[in-house]
Structure formats: C-alpha cells, structure tokens
Amino acid sequence: MLDAISGLFSGNALSVLVKTSGAALTLLVVVPALMKLFLVTVDEGSAAIRTRNGKPIIRRVRGSDDGRGEVVVLRPGTHGAFPILYWYRMVDVRARSTDLPARCLTAASGHQHLVHASFDWRSIVSGHDLRVLELDVLNVKERAGNIVGAALRDLVHELDGAVLPPNDALSPRIVAACTELVRRECGVELLRVIVTGDALTDGYLLSQAVAPLAPGPARSEWGAAAAVLADRLSSV
C-alpha cells in the first residue's frame, strides 16, 4: 500500500495527476467563468441597453429626421457580449401602475368632482423609446402623470351632469387623447387609465344649495335645506 501511494507522487504519475487536475479545474471553473463573462442573459420582463462607461451608446439612424438617435436593445434571452468594449444595463419593462393625486375637477355644467385615478404603463422595448426613457426623462412616472392628469382634466371639463361616465367609457377617451404624447415625451406606453373614485365635493354641494338664491322663478323651487342655508347666509 505504501509503495502504491508513493508511486502516485513519482515523476510520471505526478505529471499525469497535475494535468488531469488542471483539465478538470479548467472545465469546472475557467470555462463557465469565460462563458458568463462573454454572454449576457436578459430575463423575462427586462431589456438590456448597451453602454460604455455607464452611459448608453447612441447610434445615429441614417435618413431619420429625429436627431436623438437610438440605443442597442437586447430582448430576453442569451446574447454574446464584448466586455472589453461594451457593458449592458438592465431596464425593467414590466407593466406598472401609478396613482394620480386626488383632484377637484369641474365639469361643463359647473359640477365639481373629487376624482381619484391611476394609470397603467410600461416601457416600450425599442431602441429609440428606451433611449428617451434613459436620457431625456428624469422622472418618468411624474412626467407621464402630468400628461395623463391634464387629459383627464380636459375631458371632465367637457362633461355634463353630476356623475362621471363609467370607467370603461372614460378610460379609452383619456388614453386616446394622450397616448401618443406620453410615448413621444416619456418613452412609455400608456395602457389604461382607471378612475377609482368619484365623490361630489363640498364646493358642489354648497353651489347647489345657494343656487336658488338667484332672483326669478327658481326661488319658488327652494328645498328646506336650501332655505335654511339661504337664511343663514343672508344673516351673515
């Protein structure tokens, strides 16, 4: 037994052992490390942007009127990479929802509505749109929210009645009114707008109560609550 063990560490046997160990080490450690170094894997729900020194590489598109260019975008999957020249930055392109702040909006008939709404959006996986998302927009959610909120306000200003239309009728109109602007300015796709609340404000209730104070035939249609409120306002 001792002779067999000592024989393993003799000249030729030791050389074979070293070569075998080196080959196994290469297969188990070096090759996977090199493959991981020269391959980039993009998970589902993400996209990769090619960068240099941490900044996206902008390509100028020939024949395009837009001088902002675009970036190289890798979709989900495994792609070859050149780490000496390029690195890749992961971008989340899953759909997300952002709440708009509650706002008091006035309809065409003078009714005030306390509106709670939110909008669903996602990044557009194209070289130009993701380039806009990364470089031109500091806060995508805030800027897109301002655009959607402005469209919601404009539509409510055109409505009559004390109750807002159902969400399935109001949402497509808002999306159609601002989806192109949201894509151009923010580089994201507007999926839907959801109006989650519609409550009459105190301002509307007060305006309805004091409406009979106007001179004319309307005075004969006062209700009991309106009459009491009118008397109190008159005494003041």
Side-chain angles (χ1 to χ4, degrees), residues 98-105 113-119 152 164 167 170 193-199 201:
T98 299
D99 293 330
L100 293 173
R103 304 175 63 185
C104 292
L105 303 178
H113 304 275
L114 181 60
V115 180
H116 299 264
S118 62
F119 64 97
L152 175 61
L164 292 179
N167 188 72
L170 189 59
V193 177
I194 304 172
V195 179
T196 56
D198 173 22
T201 64

Side-chain angles (χ1 to χ4, degrees), residues 15-236:
S15 176
V16 172
L17 181 63
V18 170
K19 291 181 179 179
T20 304
S21 301
L25 183 65
T26 301
L27 291 176
L28 295 177
V29 178
V30 178
V31 173
L34 289 176
M35 292 182 63
K36 186 175 181 180
L37 183 63
F38 288 95
L39 293 176
V40 56
T41 300
V42 183
D43 297 330
E44 192 69 29
S46 299
I49 293 180
R50 183 178 292 174
T51 64
R52 182 183 290 118
N53 297 327
K55 297 181 180 180
I57 301 173
I58 308 301
R59 298 189 308 176
R60 302 301 176 186
V61 182
R62 293 183 179 180
S64 177
D65 297 333
D66 194 337
R68 292 181 295 183
E70 62 181 22
V71 296
V72 177
V73 178
L74 301 183
R75 295 175 178 270
T78 301
H79 309 270
F82 301 94
I84 298 177
L85 301 176
Y86 306 120
W87 292 96
Y88 292 89
R89 176 178 175 183
M90 297 296 173
V91 178
D92 189 354
V93 294
R94 294 173 296 179
R96 280 163 282 184
S97 181
T98 299
D99 293 330
L100 293 173
R103 304 175 63 185
C104 292
L105 303 178
T106 305
S109 57
H111 298 283
Q112 287 185 325
H113 304 275
L114 181 60
V115 180
H116 299 264
S118 62
F119 64 97
D120 298 340
W121 60 279
R122 65 185 171 199
S123 304
I124 303 173
V125 186
S126 70
H128 178 74
D129 291 308
L130 280 180
R131 181 255 188 261
V132 173
L133 172 65
E134 289 296 319
L135 299 182
D136 291 350
V137 182
L138 298 178
N139 191 325
V140 176
K141 295 190 294 184
E142 180 180 354
R143 190 167 185 179
N146 291 337
I147 296 174
V148 174
L152 175 61
R153 178 202 60 197
D154 294 341
L155 285 176
V156 172
H157 284 351
E158 300 174 356
L159 299 176
D160 293 322
V163 180
L164 292 179
N167 188 72
D168 58 353
L170 189 59
S171 177
R173 296 181 59 185
I174 302 173
V175 173
C178 62
T179 182
E180 186 59 33
L181 181 60
V182 169
R183 175 168 185 162
R184 184 172 66 251
E185 297 295 330
C186 305
V188 300
E189 178 185 5
L190 180 61
L191 301 176
R192 66 187 59 85
V193 177
I194 304 172
V195 179
T196 56
D198 173 22
L200 298 178
T201 64
D202 294 338
Y204 162 71
L205 298 177
L206 180 60
S207 66
Q208 290 297 100
V210 300
L213 292 177
R219 185 177 295 273
S220 61
E221 300 177 0
W222 284 10
V228 172
L229 180 57
D231 292 338
R232 292 182 179 178
L233 291 177
S234 300
S235 62
V236 175

